[in-house]
């Protein structure tokens, strides 16, 4: 069959499918009038809403090295080809993304090897926004973890412990990297805090709303080298941590699954 014949056949099927779903949607809406919408089945265990924890990825999103980490090139467009398709070029560690154990180890699990049950996790949010507002080099410390436990109880098994520093609001400008010409300045996890989580809790991931698990001035990526080789993973550039509770939410990490990857952009959301 010729290319144009195939395209026309596809377009006809699309039109008929749209008509079908439009009719079905209208019928469903009519049937629902006067009723109360129920929560999705996934919420049955006590969650009532979903919060997007992912920044929108675009070519100008700030990166650790200051160079663009994402581009999309049109390959087909609707006007000429009746469909849209882009070629993507992505640095694995751009935007809201996962750090797999392989990122900072010789033979750790690649991103496709992270067990799927570890990607659904109780979310524990440690708020250091107040001290980060006064000191861009602030870090999550063991004392911050102890204070969280005192207020919220023990950190659950398989938890993701996230740092809320307020940095998520800075992605639109130079303040996110906060580079002074010699070093970047933004918060992260102190090495001793990561050790405490590994030795005294069942946490399997840590997350930050900044560019790195380590604070910006780190000379040696000490937290990366302690946390990731242990088989745990990290999340960087998490969004909207100010919109979820300190405890009680469940994080869903839509990690990429490219073979042998050291990490990659992820769609992440929290059930609250």
């Amino acid at each position: 069959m010729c290319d144009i014949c195939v395209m026309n056949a596809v377009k006809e099927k699309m039109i008929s499918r749209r008509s079908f779903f439009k009719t079905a949607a209208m019928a469903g809406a009519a049937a629902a009038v006067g009723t109360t919408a129920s929560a999705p089945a996934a919420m049955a265990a006590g969650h009532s809403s979903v919060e997007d924890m992912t920044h929108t990825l675009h070519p100008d999103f700030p990166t650790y090295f200051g160079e663009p980490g994402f581009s999309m090139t049109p390959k087909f467009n609707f006007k000429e080809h009746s469909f849209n398709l882009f070629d993507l070029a992505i640095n694995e560690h751009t935007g809201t993304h996962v750090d797999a154990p392989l990122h900072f180890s010789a033979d750790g699990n690649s991103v496709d090897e992270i067990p799927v049950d570890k990607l659904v996790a109780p979310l524990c949010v440690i708020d250091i926004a107040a001290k980060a507002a006064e000191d861009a080099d602030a870090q999550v410390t063991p004392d911050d973890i102890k204070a969280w436990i005192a207020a919220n109880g023990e950190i659950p098994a398989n938890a993701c412990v996230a740092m809320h520093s307020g940095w998520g609001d800075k992605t639109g400008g130079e303040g996110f990297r906060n580079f002074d010409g010699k070093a970047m300045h933004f918060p992260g996890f102190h090495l001793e805090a990561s050790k405490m989580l590994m030795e005294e809790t069942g946490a399997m991931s840590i997350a930050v709303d900044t560019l790195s698990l380590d604070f910006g001035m780190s000379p040696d990526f000490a937290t990366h080298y302690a946390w990731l080789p242990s088989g745990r993973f990290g999340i960087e550039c998490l969004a909207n941590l100010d919109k979820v509770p300190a405890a009680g939410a469940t994080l869903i990490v839509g990690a990429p699954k490219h073979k042998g990857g050291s990490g990659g952009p992820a769609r992440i959301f929290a059930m609250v």
Side-chain angles (χ1 to χ4, degrees):
M1 184 180 287
C2 65
D3 290 347
I4 190 63
C5 296
V6 171
M7 295 300 297
N8 286 335
V10 170
K11 288 168 70 175
E12 289 176 4
K13 288 181 179 179
M14 288 173 64
I15 291 171
S16 68
R17 281 170 60 84
R18 286 173 183 160
S19 297
F20 170 78
F21 286 117
K22 182 177 181 181
T23 301
M26 291 175 66
V33 172
T35 65
T36 300
S38 60
M43 301 296 187
H47 301 97
S48 60
S49 63
V50 179
E51 188 64 49
D52 193 352
M53 310 298 288
T54 315
H55 287 291
T56 298
L57 191 56
H58 57 84
D60 295 325
F61 195 91
T63 63
Y64 188 87
F65 296 108
E67 302 172 351
F70 173 80
S71 66
M72 50 192 297
T73 305
K75 188 168 185 178
F76 297 95
N77 65 78
F78 198 85
K79 182 177 180 180
E80 296 179 66
H81 310 104
S82 297
F83 67 99
N84 294 308
L85 187 150
F86 296 85
D87 277 336
L88 304 182
I90 307 174
N91 178 302
E92 287 180 314
H93 299 273
T94 301
T96 302
H97 66 275
V98 170
D99 280 6
L102 182 64
H103 186 36
F104 270 73
S105 62
D107 56 0
N109 279 355
S110 55
V111 69
D112 57 302
E113 295 174 326
I114 297 175
V116 69
D117 62 327
K118 305 306 179 189
L119 300 175
V120 179
L123 178 60
C124 306
V125 181
I126 297 180
D127 188 344
I128 66 164
K131 69 177 182 179
E134 296 184 0
D135 178 10
D137 300 316
Q139 299 180 70
V140 174
T141 66
D143 284 344
D144 293 316
I145 297 173
K146 292 174 184 176
W148 188 96
I149 292 173
N152 301 284
E154 294 299 321
I155 292 174
N158 196 48
C160 175
V161 179
M163 174 193 76
H164 167 44
S165 70
W167 237 247
D169 294 334
K170 301 176 183 287
T171 58
E174 292 298 320
F176 196 64
R177 294 184 75 241
N178 205 18
F179 184 62
D180 66 4
K182 294 182 179 180
M184 290 180 287
H185 299 273
F186 54 75
F189 274 85
H190 193 283
L191 172 61
E192 294 305 318
S194 64
K195 287 182 176 179
M196 178 181 176
L197 290 173
M198 287 189 291
E199 295 169 2
E200 300 181 24
T201 79
M204 285 301 298
S205 58
I206 55 176
V208 294
D209 52 3
T210 60
L211 283 165
S212 175
L213 304 179
D214 287 274
F215 75 132
M217 286 186 65
S218 173
D220 54 10
F221 296 104
T223 293
H224 276 83
Y225 279 115
W227 188 262
L228 298 179
S230 73
R232 297 167 174 84
F233 67 94
I235 302 169
E236 294 170 338
C237 299
L238 205 60
N240 295 325
L241 281 165
D242 58 330
K243 297 181 180 179
V244 295
T250 299
L251 197 69
I252 311 297
V253 183
K257 200 177 180 182
H258 54 293
K259 189 174 181 63
S262 71
R267 187 62 184 269
I268 300 176
F269 56 93
M271 298 196 304
V272 181

